[in-house]
Amino acid sequence: HELSSIQYSIRISLLLATFLGFSLSKTLPQHSVVPTGVMKEQPLQESLEPAPVDTPAKEQRYMSGQYFFEYLVVVSLKKSKEGAYEPQITYQFPKRDGMVRFQKEEEEKTLKAITLFCFPEGISWAPLTEYHSETFSFVLTEIDGSRRNGYCRRLLPHGNGARPPEAYCIISRLACFGLFSKIFDEVEKRRQISMAMIYPFMQSLREAAFPAPGNTVKIKSFIPDKGTEIISLTRPLDSWLEHVDFRTLFRCLTDEEVLLVFAAAVMERRIVFIAEELSTLSQVIHAVVALLYPFTWQHTFISIVPEILIDVVMAPTPYLLGVQKRLLEQVIDQSDVSHPQQKFCDNSGDEKSILPPKLQDEILQALRNRKEKATVEELNTVVSEAFLPFFVKTVGHFASYVTRKGSGQPGVFQSRPFYKAIESKTTRHFVKKFLQTQMFDLFIQELEQQQPASPQQGIFHKKIVEYQEKKKREKAKKR
């Protein structure tokens, strides 16, 4: 940073210890979760305004976390005495009243982290007359591994002459990018009239129940000269893909390159994505995480790395990072990361040999079935049908290898018999390595705690059943 901005740099750098939650100079144990957000999670009832005492239904929804969002903030660029533009919270809904000192301190940490993500470029700003509006998302990870989603729309506010952009940010426990993009459309429309018009709309939204997959919630909102509007917000039927838009991923990378990234992510390696636009970074990195379903990325996850935190690329642990292109040289200088296109071209890594060759071919063949101008839903279907069978065929027999000593006792996963049961040598070799990842370890831990009578739900289990029945039919035909 320039000398005139030293004060800002020192102040914002104090967030490093809290934001990262660990020392970059230390190597963490193999199975420790690396937080990437605020230091400590507050109970949900401390993160929202108190619910009215005489409304038990609202209190129940409030306690269960079924509000659409925790709060909305507006982050504006304010000129400091040194002449630099600093991001500051200029509007917050709902207001936080009646909090004790500790709660205020924790909220302050969260709000500072939000300003970092809304303007990750730091203080390198100047007034503008034109600015391309963009929507992106980020994740705040708590010390216990739980995550909150930040949805941000950055635009040039209504006015005349040169002016700095401002950002609207919604913090929510819910992951549904498309739904919150539509909410931003309504927020932006009201902001052009008056900041005061945002309040009643967000209040109505906060009081509405978050819809189940495939359902719609209707919000009433009044706008001067237009009267009362009915805003319909529909949640996608395939809820596990509702935070994802695969179009950007496949526009930026070829099918073969996507497969290499998938292989690296499955093995929990360090991956940095480089792009100019914030929206591209957030969409691509969330899409890659979705490819891992039904497993969950357990390590450092920062879809947009603020410039002040670029040192995170030196972390010795696995990570998924999104970095703006202007910081590429800093990434290369501070780590052993090579330019992604160079790596794809010269085959310097082993990503092509991680996945079983036959299953790689099946994924690529399935991806070729997509239409050139496919809708988000159509592309989501093609991609899920391409990648989900990979895990079905490699580890889908996991349930048969959890043993229990007695009723009500936790299960024990028999890893050796599990991978020994795989007929294909290349698949068995892959699974033996995959068993050592944290995402598989957590998946099995949750399975061991479940009781045998617990109903198996979700599309992954459905695909496993379909695949096993298909194999039975094929064996019956050979007899």
Side-chain angles (χ1 to χ4, degrees):
H1 296 288
E2 298 178 0
L3 290 177
S4 60
S5 305
I6 290 179
Q7 184 179 4
Y8 170 80
S9 299
I10 293 175
R11 184 168 67 254
I12 208 69
S13 65
L14 292 176
L15 288 173
L16 279 170
T18 300
F19 178 74
L20 294 177
F22 69 103
S23 172
L24 294 177
S25 63
K26 296 180 181 179
T27 302
L28 295 181
Q30 182 178 0
H31 294 291
S32 59
V33 176
V34 182
T36 62
V38 293
M39 187 80 173
K40 186 175 182 180
E41 179 185 11
Q42 289 297 300
L44 191 60
Q45 61 267 30
E46 295 178 356
S47 299
L48 299 171
E49 288 182 333
V53 177
D54 58 346
T55 53
K58 286 186 178 180
E59 177 70 23
Q60 184 177 5
R61 185 174 74 245
Y62 158 88
M63 292 294 289
S64 62
Q66 291 305 304
Y67 280 114
F68 265 84
F69 65 98
E70 290 188 18
Y71 46 80
L72 163 77
V73 297
V74 177
V75 182
S76 303
L77 291 170
K78 297 295 184 180
K79 199 169 186 179
S80 66
K81 295 180 180 179
E82 291 78 16
Y85 282 89
E86 301 178 12
Q88 297 179 7
I89 304 284
T90 55
Y91 178 84
Q92 179 180 342
F93 173 81
K95 299 294 183 182
R96 304 301 180 84
D97 299 320
M99 295 195 309
V100 298
R101 180 179 177 181
F102 174 76
Q103 293 171 328
K104 290 181 179 178
E105 291 175 349
E106 292 300 312
E107 181 181 86
E108 186 65 22
K109 293 175 185 177
T110 301
L111 295 177
K112 285 182 179 179
I114 290 173
T115 62
L116 279 178
F117 282 115
C118 289
F119 290 96
E121 301 89 344
I123 57 179
S124 303
W125 285 97
L128 306 169
T129 55
E130 294 184 3
Y131 180 77
H132 176 64
S133 173
E134 58 182 334
T135 305
F136 53 94
S137 62
F138 56 85
V139 174
L140 296 176
T141 306
E142 317 294 351
I143 196 68
D144 64 354
S146 63
R147 290 168 175 170
R148 286 187 288 175
N149 299 286
Y151 303 93
C152 185
R153 175 164 295 182
R154 213 162 68 175
L155 50 86
L156 202 62
H158 182 71
N160 298 317
R163 55 207 181 277
E166 65 181 12
Y168 305 89
C169 181
I170 294 175
I171 301 298
S172 175
R173 300 277 176 183
L174 308 168
C176 191
F177 186 84
L179 203 62
F180 281 94
S181 292
K182 187 171 182 180
I183 291 172
F184 274 130
D185 292 339
E186 299 299 329
V187 170
E188 183 176 348
K189 183 166 61 176
R190 284 154 180 76
R191 175 65 179 90
Q192 301 305 328
I193 302 172
S194 169
M195 184 71 78
M197 292 302 303
I198 299 176
Y199 180 93
F201 169 68
M202 297 305 291
Q203 181 65 44
S204 298
L205 183 67
R206 188 163 172 264
E207 292 175 350
F210 191 66
N215 289 358
T216 299
V217 62
K218 296 182 183 294
I219 308 295
K220 291 183 179 181
S221 181
F222 176 80
I223 296 182
D225 300 329
K226 292 185 178 180
T228 301
E229 289 187 347
I230 304 296
I231 301 158
S232 297
L233 299 172
T234 302
R235 189 177 175 192
L237 186 61
D238 296 326
S239 58
W240 71 282
L241 289 175
E242 63 188 346
H243 194 52
V244 182
D245 184 345
F246 285 112
R247 292 176 299 181
T248 304
L249 175 65
F250 286 93
R251 186 177 70 246
C252 296
L253 301 176
T254 65
D255 293 357
E256 289 75 14
E257 289 170 349
V258 170
L259 197 59
L260 296 181
V261 172
F262 172 70
V266 166
M267 288 292 103
E268 295 184 336
R269 296 185 172 177
R270 295 183 296 165
I271 307 174
V272 179
F273 298 91
I274 307 292
E276 290 184 359
E277 295 186 357
L278 300 177
S279 55
T280 298
L281 286 174
S282 66
Q283 289 173 17
V284 166
I285 199 168
H286 283 291
V288 170
V289 170
L291 296 179
L292 300 175
Y293 178 85
F295 302 96
T296 304
W297 181 263
Q298 297 297 318
H299 301 277
T300 303
F301 178 87
I302 312 179
S303 56
I304 299 170
V305 178
E307 182 175 3
I308 197 70
L309 300 179
I310 195 63
D311 287 350
V312 72
V313 299
M314 295 188 296
T317 52
Y319 55 57
L320 292 176
L321 305 178
V323 176
Q324 288 178 283
K325 190 174 181 179
R326 62 188 182 81
L327 301 176
L328 177 59
E329 293 302 322
Q330 293 187 46
V331 172
I332 295 175
D333 291 343
Q334 298 187 51
S335 68
D336 57 358
V337 178
S338 61
H339 194 287
Q341 292 182 348
Q342 293 174 349
K343 190 167 187 178
F344 287 146
C345 294
D346 65 15
N347 298 327
S348 58
D350 64 343
E351 285 80 11
K352 284 190 175 181
S353 61
I354 292 175
L355 310 180
K358 181 181 178 181
L359 297 183
Q360 288 191 58
D361 293 339
E362 290 180 1
I363 292 175
L364 291 174
Q365 184 60 42
L367 289 175
R368 295 189 185 102
N369 294 329
R370 69 182 185 276
K371 301 176 183 178
E372 185 176 347
K373 296 183 179 180
T375 64
V376 174
E377 292 74 17
E378 290 172 341
L379 183 58
N380 282 355
T381 299
V382 171
V383 174
S384 64
E385 290 178 352
F387 284 90
L388 191 56
F390 174 83
F391 291 118
V392 171
K393 295 176 181 179
T394 54
V395 298
H397 57 299
F398 60 86
S400 301
Y401 293 88
V402 176
T403 60
R404 288 178 169 81
K405 293 183 178 180
S407 178
Q409 296 295 315
V412 177
F413 180 63
Q414 307 296 323
S415 60
R416 185 175 177 82
F418 170 74
Y419 71 78
K420 285 287 187 181
I422 301 173
E423 297 178 0
S424 168
K425 183 178 180 179
T426 55
T427 301
R428 186 166 61 250
H429 179 70
F430 162 77
V431 171
K432 191 173 182 181
K433 290 184 176 180
F434 185 56
L435 261 61
Q436 301 174 27
T437 64
Q438 188 166 317
M439 69 178 83
F440 185 83
D441 185 53
L442 182 64
F443 181 86
I444 290 300
Q445 285 183 35
E446 294 176 350
L447 178 68
E448 290 173 334
Q449 297 304 315
Q450 293 177 1
Q451 294 303 311
S454 300
Q456 296 290 332
Q457 299 178 348
I459 188 173
F460 183 52
H461 178 71
K462 179 182 177 182
K463 293 295 183 181
I464 289 174
V465 172
E466 291 176 355
Y467 179 67
Q468 291 176 343
E469 291 177 350
K470 180 183 177 181
K471 288 182 66 176
K472 288 180 182 178
R473 290 194 298 268
E474 291 176 350
K475 286 185 177 180
K477 288 181 180 180
K478 293 180 180 179
R479 292 175 183 175

Coordinates of all heavy atoms in Angstrom, one line a residue, residues 175-176 179 210-216 233-243 293 376-377 380-381 458-459 462:
A175 N -27.8 -21.4 1.7 CA -27.0 -21.3 0.4 C -27.9 -21.5 -0.8 O -28.4 -22.5 -1.1 CB -26.0 -22.5 0.4
C176 N -28.2 -20.4 -1.4 CA -29.1 -20.4 -2.6 C -28.8 -19.1 -3.4 O -29.5 -18.1 -3.3 CB -30.6 -20.4 -2.1 SG -31.7 -20.7 -3.5
L179 N -31.6 -17.4 -5.7 CA -32.7 -16.8 -4.9 C -32.2 -15.4 -4.4 O -32.9 -14.4 -4.5 CB -33.1 -17.7 -3.8 CG -34.5 -17.5 -3.2 CD1 -35.5 -17.8 -4.3 CD2 -34.7 -18.4 -2.0
F210 N -38.5 -19.6 5.0 CA -37.7 -20.0 3.8 C -38.4 -21.2 3.2 O -38.7 -22.2 3.8 CB -36.3 -20.3 4.3 CG -35.3 -20.5 3.1 CD1 -35.0 -19.5 2.3 CD2 -34.8 -21.8 2.9 CE1 -34.1 -19.7 1.3 CE2 -33.9 -22.0 1.8 CZ -33.5 -20.9 1.0
P211 N -38.7 -21.1 1.9 CA -39.4 -22.2 1.2 C -38.7 -23.5 1.1 O -37.4 -23.5 1.1 CB -39.7 -21.6 -0.2 CG -38.6 -20.7 -0.4 CD -38.3 -20.1 0.9
A212 N -39.4 -24.6 1.1 CA -38.8 -25.9 0.9 C -38.4 -26.0 -0.6 O -38.9 -25.3 -1.4 CB -39.8 -27.0 1.2
P213 N -37.5 -27.0 -0.9 CA -37.1 -27.1 -2.3 C -38.3 -27.2 -3.3 O -39.2 -28.0 -3.0 CB -36.3 -28.4 -2.3 CG -35.7 -28.4 -1.0 CD -36.8 -27.9 -0.1
G214 N -38.3 -26.4 -4.3 CA -39.4 -26.5 -5.3 C -40.6 -25.6 -5.0 O -41.5 -25.4 -5.8
N215 N -40.6 -25.0 -3.8 CA -41.7 -24.2 -3.4 C -41.4 -22.7 -3.6 O -40.3 -22.3 -3.8 CB -42.1 -24.5 -1.9 CG -42.7 -25.8 -1.7 OD1 -42.9 -26.6 -2.7 ND2 -43.0 -26.2 -0.5
T216 N -42.5 -21.9 -3.4 CA -42.4 -20.5 -3.7 C -43.0 -19.7 -2.5 O -43.9 -20.1 -1.9 CB -43.2 -20.1 -4.9 OG1 -42.7 -20.7 -6.1 CG2 -43.2 -18.6 -5.1
L233 N -40.6 -15.6 -4.8 CA -39.2 -16.2 -4.7 C -39.3 -17.7 -4.7 O -39.9 -18.3 -3.7 CB -38.5 -15.7 -3.5 CG -38.3 -14.1 -3.4 CD1 -37.8 -13.7 -2.0 CD2 -37.4 -13.7 -4.5
T234 N -38.8 -18.4 -5.7 CA -39.0 -19.8 -5.9 C -37.6 -20.5 -5.6 O -36.6 -20.1 -6.2 CB -39.5 -20.2 -7.3 OG1 -40.7 -19.6 -7.5 CG2 -39.6 -21.7 -7.4
R235 N -37.6 -21.5 -4.8 CA -36.4 -22.3 -4.5 C -36.3 -23.4 -5.5 O -37.3 -24.1 -5.7 CB -36.5 -22.8 -3.1 CG -35.2 -23.4 -2.6 CD -35.3 -23.8 -1.1 NE -34.1 -24.5 -0.7 CZ -34.0 -25.2 0.5 NH1 -35.1 -25.2 1.3 NH2 -32.9 -25.8 0.8
P236 N -35.1 -23.7 -6.1 CA -35.0 -24.8 -7.0 C -35.3 -26.1 -6.4 O -35.1 -26.3 -5.2 CB -33.5 -24.7 -7.4 CG -33.1 -23.3 -7.1 CD -33.9 -22.9 -5.9
L237 N -35.8 -27.1 -7.2 CA -36.2 -28.4 -6.7 C -35.0 -29.2 -6.2 O -35.0 -29.9 -5.2 CB -37.0 -29.1 -7.8 CG -37.6 -30.5 -7.4 CD1 -38.6 -30.3 -6.2 CD2 -38.2 -31.1 -8.6
D238 N -33.9 -29.1 -7.0 CA -32.6 -29.8 -6.7 C -31.9 -28.9 -5.7 O -31.0 -28.1 -6.1 CB -31.8 -30.1 -7.9 CG -32.5 -31.0 -8.8 OD1 -33.2 -31.9 -8.4 OD2 -32.3 -30.9 -10.1
S239 N -32.2 -29.0 -4.4 CA -31.6 -28.1 -3.4 C -30.1 -28.2 -3.3 O -29.5 -27.2 -2.9 CB -32.3 -28.3 -2.0 OG -32.1 -29.7 -1.6
W240 N -29.5 -29.3 -3.6 CA -28.1 -29.4 -3.4 C -27.3 -28.7 -4.5 O -26.1 -28.5 -4.4 CB -27.6 -30.9 -3.3 CG -27.7 -31.7 -4.6 CD1 -28.8 -32.2 -5.2 CD2 -26.6 -32.0 -5.5 NE1 -28.5 -32.8 -6.4 CE2 -27.1 -32.8 -6.5 CE3 -25.2 -31.8 -5.4 CZ2 -26.3 -33.3 -7.6 CZ3 -24.4 -32.3 -6.4 CH2 -25.0 -33.0 -7.5
L241 N -28.0 -28.3 -5.5 CA -27.4 -27.5 -6.6 C -27.9 -26.0 -6.6 O -27.5 -25.3 -7.6 CB -27.6 -28.2 -7.9 CG -26.9 -29.5 -8.2 CD1 -27.3 -30.1 -9.5 CD2 -25.4 -29.3 -8.2
E242 N -28.6 -25.6 -5.6 CA -29.3 -24.3 -5.7 C -28.3 -23.2 -5.5 O -28.6 -22.0 -5.8 CB -30.4 -24.2 -4.7 CG -30.0 -24.3 -3.3 CD -31.2 -24.4 -2.3 OE1 -32.3 -24.1 -2.8 OE2 -31.0 -24.8 -1.2
H243 N -27.1 -23.5 -5.1 CA -26.1 -22.4 -4.9 C -25.1 -22.3 -6.0 O -24.1 -21.6 -6.0 CB -25.3 -22.7 -3.6 CG -24.5 -21.5 -3.1 ND1 -25.0 -20.2 -2.9 CD2 -23.2 -21.4 -2.8 CE1 -24.1 -19.4 -2.5 NE2 -23.0 -20.1 -2.4
Y293 N -20.0 -33.3 -4.3 CA -21.2 -33.9 -3.7 C -21.2 -35.4 -3.9 O -20.9 -35.9 -5.0 CB -22.4 -33.3 -4.3 CG -23.7 -33.9 -3.7 CD1 -24.3 -33.4 -2.6 CD2 -24.4 -34.9 -4.4 CE1 -25.4 -33.9 -2.1 CE2 -25.5 -35.5 -3.9 CZ -26.1 -35.0 -2.7 OH -27.2 -35.5 -2.2
V376 N -29.6 -23.1 -16.9 CA -28.9 -23.4 -15.7 C -29.4 -24.8 -15.2 O -28.6 -25.7 -14.8 CB -29.2 -22.4 -14.6 CG1 -28.6 -22.8 -13.2 CG2 -28.6 -21.0 -15.0
E377 N -30.7 -25.0 -15.2 CA -31.3 -26.3 -14.7 C -30.8 -27.5 -15.6 O -30.5 -28.6 -15.1 CB -32.8 -26.3 -14.7 CG -33.4 -25.3 -13.7 CD -33.2 -23.8 -14.0 OE1 -33.0 -23.6 -15.2 OE2 -33.4 -23.0 -13.2
N380 N -27.1 -28.1 -14.9 CA -27.0 -28.8 -13.6 C -27.3 -30.3 -13.7 O -26.6 -31.1 -13.1 CB -27.9 -28.1 -12.6 CG -27.4 -26.8 -12.1 OD1 -26.3 -26.4 -12.4 ND2 -28.2 -26.1 -11.3
T381 N -28.3 -30.6 -14.4 CA -28.7 -32.0 -14.6 C -27.6 -32.8 -15.3 O -27.2 -33.9 -14.8 CB -30.0 -32.1 -15.4 OG1 -31.0 -31.5 -14.7 CG2 -30.4 -33.6 -15.5
G458 N -31.8 -38.7 0.1 CA -30.9 -37.9 -0.8 C -30.7 -38.6 -2.1 O -30.8 -39.8 -2.3
I459 N -30.3 -37.8 -3.1 CA -30.1 -38.3 -4.5 C -28.9 -39.3 -4.5 O -28.9 -40.2 -5.3 CB -29.9 -37.1 -5.4 CG1 -29.9 -37.6 -6.9 CG2 -28.6 -36.4 -5.1 CD1 -29.8 -36.5 -7.9
K462 N -30.1 -42.7 -3.6 CA -31.0 -43.1 -4.7 C -30.2 -43.7 -5.8 O -30.5 -44.7 -6.4 CB -31.9 -42.0 -5.1 CG -32.8 -42.3 -6.3 CD -33.6 -41.1 -6.7 CE -34.5 -41.5 -7.9 NZ -35.3 -40.3 -8.4

